[in-house]
Amino acid sequence: MFQIKNVTLTHKKDLRIILENFSLVLNDGDRAVMIGEEGNGKSTLMKWIYDPELVEDYIEYSGEKVINGERLGYLPQELPEQEKNKTVCEYFMETADFLDKTPKELSKLANDFHVEPEFYYRDQMMQTLSGGERVKAQMMRILIEEPTILLLDEPSNDIDIETLEWMESFINSWKHAVLFISHDETLIEHTANRVIHFEQIRRKTKCRHTVANVPYRTYVEERLNAFEKQEQIALGERREKKIRDEKLRRMEQSVGASLDNISHAERDAIGRLLKKKMKNVKAMEKRFEREDEEMTEMPEQEEAIFFKLGDEKSKIPSGKWVLQYEAENLLTLDDSRILAKGIELKIRGSEKIGIIGTNGCGKSTFITKIAEELLSREDIRAEYMPQNYEVLLDLDMTPVDFLEKALISKGLDNGQSTNKDVYDRNVPGGKEDRTRIRTYLGALKYTADEMDHPIRELSGGQKAKVLLLKLSMSGANVLILDEPTRNFSPLSGPVIRKMLKEFPGAVISVSHDRKYLDEVCDKIYRLTENGLQAI
């Protein structure tokens, strides 16, 4: 058994409490998923559980954890910096348990993760692996160490659909406890038997958590029904209060008018009666005030993001060729290896295209080459969102400064009236731009403080929102997206999918998100060593 008692986490920078008096007990067989909007402290809590030193630079904490001899295995959301420059072989050799495993055991684990046994001994740097391969390597090393409790921060990120299905099977068959964070709704629906929901309500001034011992879909449905019922009761009570208060007001006015209009001769007898009646009215008013304190509160919840992508100008004529890509060979970015042969992809009008394939097959390389071609075109307005956000983001800038700079750059590129002087926030045009950017960020659930934090301090989902906003402000009619939903919460996922489905332009994307592929994409292609195959 693993236990957390009365944990409170507070940001050192703005003293915002992101978790207060949180307690949890995990037992064998628990498959608990932590959900909540980006920046609500899920990853921070998981780091604290594994090793409080991982968060002490930016978090003040109180509370305790009771491990009782359990062995924790932790998968971080990103590969730690100190591991990036190690070879795959060095990475595995660092754990003594690796050398104790038999070739048969290592071969079985490799087969489970759809990699060759030789994967353990590669001299390739960890940072040069594909995103999915990095996740697989980390998970494999964790399992080699035989933990009894798994702490998995986004285990579904970047792994292919076949491995996602294996991950579901693995989590469901794990005999010990699993505490995980995931943005993959399908994986959550297929695995979790407990839901831990973190919220920031009242404009992120108050934190709230809910622990429900039910599957995810049941939790969502019961939560929605409970909120609707509470809202109906609260609205009914407020309607009754309004009618009651109006009657009380009229009664008080009537008694008051009668007191003012009685004659001197009637003042003693009738006056005493009216004063008594007024006293009763005042007593009734106080009683109603006490009753009002017990009224059902209007339900509060952290709303999903509100966002719109594209407008009428983003439409592409149905007959226009957006892409006619042909290549005899798909090479790695350094041209050192052939990934696939006979590549051909043609896209016309506002089609929504999804590309899938096994990890390491070259999907990100392929979409990078597509981006290079489309971004150079002048007859379309293309924008690119890479899997690695740091390719485009300046981590030392704030979201407002980054977006303002992008907006100005776009204005200069398009020959618009915006000029470099606008970047000075003291110039009127600059103030208007910054106000508009702050309004948009507010719609994406950023607080005023978060808008002024360096981007490097933001969560993966918050960084993704910055890039999405950049796409929206660009006026693009073609979007090239590498894993666009990978860092959005299950609650924001439906909003993102709807936004991209309704985008009037073309979308070319790589994704392993099964709901995204089903709901957004008109066509799906699998990248294989023999080219693209229509699904």
Side-chain angles (χ1 to χ4, degrees):
M1 182 185 75
F2 174 79
Q3 187 173 8
I4 303 168
K5 296 181 180 179
N6 301 319
V7 174
T8 295
L9 303 177
T10 306
H11 267 299
K12 289 183 177 179
K13 185 166 186 176
D14 54 21
L15 300 182
R16 180 167 64 92
I17 298 174
I18 58 174
L19 187 64
E20 188 170 24
N21 293 327
F22 175 72
S23 297
L24 178 71
V25 175
L26 287 177
N27 292 299
D28 285 351
D30 283 343
R31 303 185 297 276
V33 62
M34 296 197 291
I35 65 170
E37 292 302 316
E38 297 75 26
N40 280 8
K42 304 182 297 294
S43 293
T44 297
L45 174 62
M46 188 165 282
K47 289 176 184 177
W48 180 87
I49 292 172
Y50 183 68
D51 182 0
E53 290 185 1
L54 295 176
V55 300
E56 64 183 7
D57 287 344
Y58 65 98
I59 290 291
E60 292 180 353
Y61 53 84
S62 61
E64 62 177 314
K65 58 180 178 178
V66 182
I67 296 180
N68 287 333
E70 303 282 3
R71 298 189 304 278
L72 304 182
Y74 170 55
L75 174 73
Q77 190 175 123
E78 301 289 345
L79 183 69
E81 284 294 326
Q82 65 270 22
E83 308 283 11
K84 290 182 177 179
N85 290 321
K86 293 174 183 174
T87 66
V88 176
C89 183
E90 289 171 340
Y91 181 74
F92 281 105
M93 288 292 183
E94 278 189 343
T95 174
D97 295 326
F98 177 74
L99 299 175
D100 294 335
K101 294 294 180 183
T102 66
K104 183 178 180 180
E105 290 172 324
L106 293 175
S107 180
K108 181 182 183 305
L109 184 60
N111 184 63
D112 288 340
F113 278 87
H114 305 288
V115 297
E116 296 296 325
E118 291 76 19
F119 179 78
Y120 298 109
Y121 307 102
R122 281 193 192 177
D123 58 4
Q124 184 178 356
M125 294 293 183
M126 287 290 293
Q127 64 180 347
T128 65
L129 294 175
S130 70
E133 287 175 318
R134 283 197 299 272
V135 172
K136 288 181 179 182
Q138 292 175 89
M139 276 296 298
M140 290 163 71
R141 192 172 86 165
I142 289 169
L143 295 179
I144 286 171
E145 294 171 345
E146 299 185 354
T148 58
I149 292 181
L150 291 177
L151 306 173
L152 309 178
D153 193 350
E154 293 296 345
S156 54
N157 266 5
D158 307 323
I159 58 178
D160 55 46
I161 292 175
E162 291 81 4
T163 309
L164 273 171
E165 292 172 348
W166 175 85
M167 182 73 73
E168 290 174 2
S169 175
F170 169 77
I171 290 175
N172 284 328
S173 62
W174 181 252
K175 63 181 179 180
H176 302 298
V178 183
L179 178 64
F180 68 101
I181 301 167
S182 179
H183 296 145
D184 189 309
E185 289 173 72
T186 305
L187 181 134
I188 293 173
E189 290 173 355
H190 289 176
T191 58
N193 58 15
R194 300 182 71 186
V195 177
I196 304 165
H197 187 183
F198 299 120
E199 297 177 273
Q200 295 284 329
I201 57 177
R202 300 179 191 174
R203 296 184 180 274
K204 292 193 174 183
T205 61
K206 180 177 175 59
C207 61
R208 181 173 69 188
H209 62 266
T210 304
V211 179
N213 297 320
V214 295
Y216 174 72
R217 188 50 55 191
T218 302
Y219 170 73
V220 171
E221 292 170 358
E222 289 181 352
R223 172 184 166 82
L224 179 61
N225 292 336
F227 270 63
E228 289 177 348
K229 183 177 180 180
Q230 183 180 342
E231 184 176 30
Q232 290 173 359
I233 294 172
L235 290 173
E237 290 177 351
R238 279 153 180 77
R239 284 193 294 268
E240 292 176 3
K241 172 180 167 20
K242 186 176 180 179
I243 295 170
R244 182 204 69 195
D245 289 349
E246 180 62 20
K247 288 181 179 179
L248 188 65
R249 184 185 65 81
R250 291 178 180 176
M251 189 183 303
E252 189 172 356
Q253 285 180 340
S254 175
V255 174
S258 298
L259 276 170
D260 292 339
N261 294 327
I262 60 174
S263 65
H264 183 74
E266 299 172 319
R267 192 170 297 278
D268 290 340
I270 297 178
R272 283 196 299 271
L273 184 61
L274 288 173
K275 287 179 180 179
K276 183 176 180 181
K277 194 171 184 179
M278 179 61 81
K279 184 178 180 180
N280 289 338
V281 170
K282 294 293 184 183
M284 191 182 303
E285 186 176 13
K286 290 185 179 296
R287 177 165 59 83
F288 287 160
E289 287 176 356
R290 289 194 297 270
E291 290 177 359
D292 290 345
E293 293 176 358
E294 303 300 322
M295 285 178 63
T296 302
E297 293 183 356
M298 289 293 291
E300 290 183 289
Q301 61 178 320
E302 184 175 28
E303 298 176 356
I305 61 175
F306 173 77
F307 198 67
K308 183 174 175 60
L309 190 59
D311 54 25
E312 289 297 314
K313 296 179 181 178
S314 302
K315 283 186 177 179
I316 297 180
S318 58
K320 180 177 178 60
W321 285 106
V322 172
L323 180 69
Q324 298 185 74
Y325 187 95
E326 294 184 25
E328 182 178 350
N329 294 316
L330 173 65
L331 302 175
T332 56
L333 294 177
D334 61 3
D335 295 334
S336 64
R337 184 163 57 95
I338 296 175
L339 297 169
K341 297 179 179 180
I343 298 293
E344 181 178 340
L345 179 61
K346 296 183 179 181
I347 300 171
R348 192 198 298 262
S350 296
E351 289 184 316
K352 310 291 189 292
I353 304 299
I355 300 169
I356 66 173
T358 58
N359 290 127
C361 72
K363 300 183 299 299
S364 291
T365 299
F366 180 43
I367 204 166
T368 299
K369 292 180 182 290
I370 290 175
E372 289 173 352
E373 177 175 322
L374 296 183
L375 290 171
S376 66
R377 293 255 298 272
E378 295 184 358
D379 60 321
I380 59 174
R381 299 187 305 279
E383 284 288 333
Y384 174 46
M385 182 177 177
Q387 187 180 120
N388 179 7
Y389 305 145
E390 296 180 12
V391 170
L392 296 182
L393 292 174
D394 185 335
L395 300 183
D396 293 322
M397 298 182 78
T398 69
V400 176
D401 289 340
F402 173 81
L403 290 167
E404 185 181 36
K405 184 177 180 182
L407 184 64
I408 292 163
S409 175
K410 196 67 180 178
L412 289 170
D413 291 343
N414 292 340
Q416 298 170 358
S417 59
T418 307
N419 57 63
K420 193 173 187 302
D421 291 336
V422 177
Y423 188 59
D424 181 353
R425 70 187 66 186
N426 296 316
V427 175
K431 287 182 179 179
E432 291 177 4
D433 283 343
R434 294 179 74 83
T435 299
R436 182 155 60 103
I437 290 167
R438 284 183 174 274
T439 300
Y440 291 155
L441 287 170
L444 294 177
K445 307 307 174 188
Y446 275 82
T447 66
D449 284 334
E450 287 169 340
M451 295 178 197
D452 295 323
H453 283 183
I455 291 174
R456 69 172 65 256
E457 295 181 8
L458 302 179
S459 69
Q462 288 172 310
K463 293 173 183 174
K465 287 177 180 178
V466 173
L467 288 181
L468 272 180
L469 189 49
K470 179 178 180 289
L471 298 184
S472 177
M473 294 169 61
S474 71
N477 56 10
V478 177
L479 303 181
I480 309 128
L481 311 173
D482 195 350
E483 295 288 355
T485 60
R486 66 192 290 264
N487 275 313
F488 288 103
S489 77
L491 303 174
S492 290
V495 179
I496 301 298
R497 295 194 296 271
K498 183 174 185 291
M499 173 189 74
L500 290 170
K501 179 66 177 177
E502 295 177 351
F503 175 64
V507 177
I508 307 166
S509 55
V510 166
S511 182
H512 298 129
D513 183 336
R514 289 160 284 183
K515 286 189 180 291
Y516 171 85
L517 294 168
D518 288 342
E519 296 176 18
V520 177
C521 298
D522 304 315
K523 297 179 180 178
I524 300 173
Y525 296 93
R526 181 184 296 277
L527 180 60
T528 72
E529 61 183 12
N530 295 315
L532 290 169
Q533 298 176 354
I535 301 298

